[in-house]
Every structure is written in C-alpha cells, then in structure tokens.
Amino acid sequence: MNIKSNTPQNSRKRAFSAQKVISLILSLTLFASTISFIIYDDNITNSQTTLSKLGSSGEEVRQIQKKLKSLGFFDGAVDGVYGVKTRSAVRQFQASVGITVDGIAGPKTLLYMGLGSSAGSSGSGYSSSDVYLLAKVIAAEARGESYTGQVAVGAVVLNRVDSSSFPDTIAGVVYQAGAFSAVTDSNWSVAPTTTSRKAAQDALNGWDPSGGALYYYNPAKTSNKWIRTRPVITTIGSHLFCR
C-alpha cells in the first residue's frame, strides 16, 4: 500500500494541480472568446466598408448610377437598384482608372468617382472625396513641378467645372474622355502626396496661378496641333497655361 498518497502534503498537491487545470481551461475559454470577438468585429468592419454591391438598393445606389451615367459608363435606368448592369458599369469604371475590378462600389471606388464621404468638407462646397480626386490629378499631372505649378493644375480642373463647356463636377472633368492622360497611366493608382493634397485645398480655396486657364500642356511632350493654337496666359515650370 502507498502510505504517502494519503498525506496532507499530497492532498495539497492534488488540489493545486486541479486549480491549474481549471485555470488553464478558463484561459483557453477566454482566448477562444477573444478570437471569436475579433472575427466578429472584423466581419462588422468589412460589412461597413463594403458599401454598395449587387443586390443593394437605395439613394446611394441611385447616386452611383447617376455618376456612372454622367461619366459614360452606364446607360440603364437610374432606379436605385444595384443590378447586373450597374455592377458591369462599376467594373468598367474600375478598370478605366486602374483599381481592383470587383464590381463593388466600396470606399476607394467611391473616392475615385468623387462620391466618397462628405463628412470632411473642404469648406468650399466640395466633399473630401473631391479634394482627394483633385489631389490625385495634381500628383499625376504635375509631377516634378513647383508648388505653384501644382496649384495651377488644380485650378485648371476647377475652372473647367465652372465652365459651361465642360462637366460640372470634379469627377466629370477628371474622367472626361481624353482630358487628362495621367488618368490612364501607371501612376494613377498611386495615392496623392501630402503636397498635392495641400495644393488641391489651396486651389479649392480660390488660388489660381493659371490666370483662369482652361488648358495646359508641356510643349516638349505634346504633338497635338490644336492645343498649340490656344492663347497662352502664363508659363509655370514646364507647362503653358492657356484659354
């Protein structure tokens, strides 16, 4: 017979071991609960950041359809229903601007459309997505130019918005066919810089170094004969700004 098995010391050891097992079980349960919460929270986040997609409906979808129609990607009814035709138009738009083609109008797609959250207004009637899009154009079109030259490019976009000869939104002007070559090159997918964002805001605040220009070009890089006939207002860096 094992006499030691019934001693008080061994009883304490068994009690301590049982406590360790219970503690381990509780720890594992807490860990599992934490992982479940993280997964659940991530699902919530994803559902919040995935905005309009096939099967969605409402005013946001209606705005997306109107924007796609104004940009020439959608010829269906603006009915607020995100159907196959709307998804196809979103895919075409995404492919045209070089972002992930998934047919879902998420935050990035809406920013590129100029339909992102308007919570952060620029103070000049334009939304935060308008500022972002304008900054993208500046970053892509005025690479290597002075700060004044960057603001001037932004001002040309805004001058077109105000002109009856062009679309009346920043997105409409930016994505107008053939308007800006940078929209279709590899740099378009690069996020705007801090400097280009500031230049966009200065242009929105009314600074126009271009002198009211509707066009600009780099004479060393263009062979377009028509643009060379436009009356030049001013020269800033490599760009000639004209009417």
Side-chain angles (χ1 to χ4, degrees):
M1 182 174 62
N2 187 350
I3 299 176
K4 293 183 178 180
S5 63
N6 293 321
T7 62
Q9 183 179 4
N10 285 330
S11 297
R12 285 195 298 272
K13 286 182 178 180
R14 285 195 299 272
F16 179 72
S17 296
Q19 289 176 349
K20 288 177 66 177
V21 171
I22 293 171
S23 178
L24 179 60
I25 291 172
L26 290 173
S27 297
L28 290 173
T29 301
L30 179 60
F31 177 76
S33 298
T34 302
I35 292 298
S36 298
F37 176 79
I38 291 172
I39 293 172
Y40 175 71
D41 184 64
D42 185 59
N43 288 336
I44 291 176
T45 301
N46 288 336
S47 66
Q48 289 174 337
T49 57
T50 299
L51 301 179
S52 293
K53 57 184 179 179
L54 188 65
S56 299
S57 62
E59 182 58 29
E60 182 176 270
V61 177
R62 190 182 303 278
Q63 292 303 315
I64 291 168
Q65 291 171 328
K66 287 175 64 177
K67 178 62 66 175
L68 290 168
K69 185 179 281 288
S70 71
L71 297 175
F73 292 98
F74 183 64
D75 61 1
V78 178
D79 56 8
V81 178
Y82 204 115
V84 173
K85 202 164 188 175
T86 301
R87 181 179 63 180
S88 177
V90 170
R91 285 178 176 273
Q92 291 177 49
F93 173 79
Q94 290 170 329
S96 74
V97 299
I99 59 178
T100 301
V101 179
D102 57 11
I104 298 173
K108 189 170 185 178
T109 297
L110 293 183
L111 274 176
Y112 276 57
M113 284 184 183
L115 290 175
S117 171
S118 60
S121 174
S122 67
S124 55
Y126 290 100
S127 70
S128 58
S129 62
D130 287 322
V131 180
Y132 178 87
L133 189 57
L134 185 60
K136 278 187 68 65
V137 176
I138 292 170
E141 287 278 322
R143 294 187 300 272
E145 296 297 314
S146 66
Y147 184 72
T148 300
Q150 293 182 52
V151 177
V153 166
V156 168
V157 174
L158 298 178
N159 291 340
R160 290 188 181 188
V161 172
D162 291 336
S163 170
S164 59
S165 300
F166 296 90
D168 59 3
T169 64
I170 289 177
V173 167
V174 170
Y175 294 123
Q176 187 175 28
F180 298 97
S181 59
V183 171
T184 58
D185 72 25
S186 59
N187 289 301
W188 187 245
S189 60
V190 178
T193 63
T194 300
T195 300
S196 66
R197 288 175 182 270
K198 185 174 184 298
Q201 191 62 64
D202 277 340
L204 288 164
N205 288 341
W207 183 19
D208 183 2
S210 79
L214 291 174
Y215 307 95
Y216 63 88
Y217 66 97
N218 183 339
K221 294 183 177 181
T222 184
S223 58
N224 186 293
K225 293 181 180 179
W226 178 85
I227 194 67
R228 291 176 180 272
T229 67
R230 309 307 301 172
V232 175
I233 300 172
T234 187
T235 300
I236 305 175
S238 302
H239 288 141
L240 302 184
F241 291 85
C242 44
R243 292 186 178 86

